[in-house]
Amino acid sequence: MTLKFRSPLSVQSQKFPSFGLPPPANLKCPVPKVYMPSSLRSPGSKEIENLKKPFGSPREIDIRVTHSMPPEKIEIFKSMEDWAEKNILVHLKPVEKSWQPQDFLPDSSSEGFYEQVKALRERSREIPDDYLVVMVGDMITEEALPTYQTFLNSLDGVRDETGASPTSWAVWIREWTAEENRHGDLLNKYLYLTGRVDMKQIEKTIQYLIGSGMNIRTENNPYLGFIYTSFQERATFISHGNTARLAKKHGDLKLAQICGTIAADEKRHETAYTNIVGKLFEIDPEGSVLALENMMRKKILMPAHLMYDGRDDNLFDHFSAVAQRLGVYTAKDYADILEFLVSRWNVEKLTGLSGEGKKAQDYVCGLAPKIRRLDERVQCRAKQALSLPFSWVFDRDVKL
Ligand SMILES: [Fe+2]
Ligand SMILES: [Fe+2]
């Protein structure tokens, strides 16, 4: 059998109307998003047009922009070093006080290992396939951690220049990564032990995903990058919290505890990232509100948006549709996160902005209700329920 290889620069699926969100359940063939040849310009070049589209436009042209933060603003991040040490690094947990995956897993060195595995498998027997699909998608997203560390190290002014740099920013990036690494490990081992999922297909999906990377259009710009991470940490906090709630409902209290514990880490990370952006709003309100507008116009794409298992060209959309149907992560959550961040950063109360800054302020402050209204219309139209086979659960059909 020939495997189709999908390049991140090839034609891709677009969630429609996107927001980086699940597609309506009746949308089997999402509108293609075409990557323009101009996205192949040489790295390091400063780009170019930033094509802004009106809200809700179904087609999106991606012009890859790099290094969009003016070099003089790098000083802002240098001057925040001490502040970051006192206000950001404190949200990390020392290793000796951190939980480890082993705390939640059968102990393979103990006499009772087989009994513990048997009990785990008993508990997970009643978990439905749609829930498993969402858990697998969440686990795969966590497992693509090399991509996220690479992304953080792409950001001008904060990257870890040597791989062991002592700056607060570099320490944060490494230790954040080290904390996050436990998430994928734990979920992977747990799902493996249930015997309910096709591990080889999952492992292939992880390899494809790390190989593809992600294109979240943060332009090496730490303003955009930290807005993205603020959004994402809250999104993962919400989705792991919801999978915890559902695991409890399905009778697997251990899995509920695992998801809840991971959600608590995401919450700490959310606090750190939202504090960074909060500080940027204090120092540079104009630059920050323009950055928030920039990211929201482009829509926050999920980190695993290039997911592929060697079979399903729209795997991410299909996984997202199941997550939306189960209420694990929905368009409403997307709007709620935006509203939360706008309020956390006091965007409505910003003063002294230029005309452009005021327009950006109006745009981001008015966006959440628009997203909710649009989502209601999409939900009304999405009546036809489709089922599709997911390779992760041995090609069993799962309702989207
Ligand atoms: Fe995580
Ligand atoms: Fe996280």
Side-chain angles (χ1 to χ4, degrees), residues 87-88 91 172 267-277:
N87 295 275
I88 301 304
H91 295 291
W172 168 264
K267 184 76 195 163
R268 263 191 304 115
H269 297 163
E270 175 206 307
T271 305
Y273 285 120
T274 53
N275 284 356
I276 295 172
V277 179

Side-chain angles (χ1 to χ4, degrees), residues 138 141-142 145 148 176 179-184 187 233 236-237 240 262-263 265-266 269:
D138 285 356
T141 305
E142 296 283 356
L145 184 59
Y148 316 141
W176 171 86
E179 286 196 1
E180 286 283 340
N181 189 51
R182 301 167 306 146
H183 301 174
L187 294 174
E233 294 289 2
T236 47
F237 162 66
H240 288 307
I262 295 174
D265 275 7
E266 310 293 13
H269 297 163

Side-chain angles (χ1 to χ4, degrees), residues 332-393:
K332 185 182 166 296
D333 292 321
Y334 185 95
D336 290 349
I337 294 170
L338 170 61
E339 204 161 66
F340 170 86
L341 294 175
V342 163
S343 146
R344 163 70 188 78
W345 296 326
N346 286 318
V347 180
E348 249 166 303
K349 296 192 188 105
L350 294 178
T351 52
L353 299 173
S354 71
E356 205 191 348
K358 275 189 204 132
K359 271 190 201 154
Q361 182 184 35
D362 287 347
Y363 175 77
V364 295
C365 291
L367 188 56
K370 281 185 196 162
I371 293 171
R372 287 198 194 94
R373 278 200 298 277
L374 194 60
D375 176 53
E376 276 161 25
R377 289 210 296 276
V378 169
Q379 295 304 321
C380 285
R381 286 203 303 269
K383 291 207 173 100
Q384 185 194 343
L386 269 180
S387 288
L388 279 180
F390 276 82
S391 72
W392 302 336
V393 288

Side-chain angles (χ1 to χ4, degrees), residues 6 11-15 30-33 305 313-314 316-317:
R6 197 177 60 158
V11 172
Q12 297 182 20
S13 65
Q14 153 123 344
K15 296 138 287 294
V31 180
K33 174 164 68 183
H305 67 118
D313 278 329
N314 294 310
F316 180 78
D317 290 349

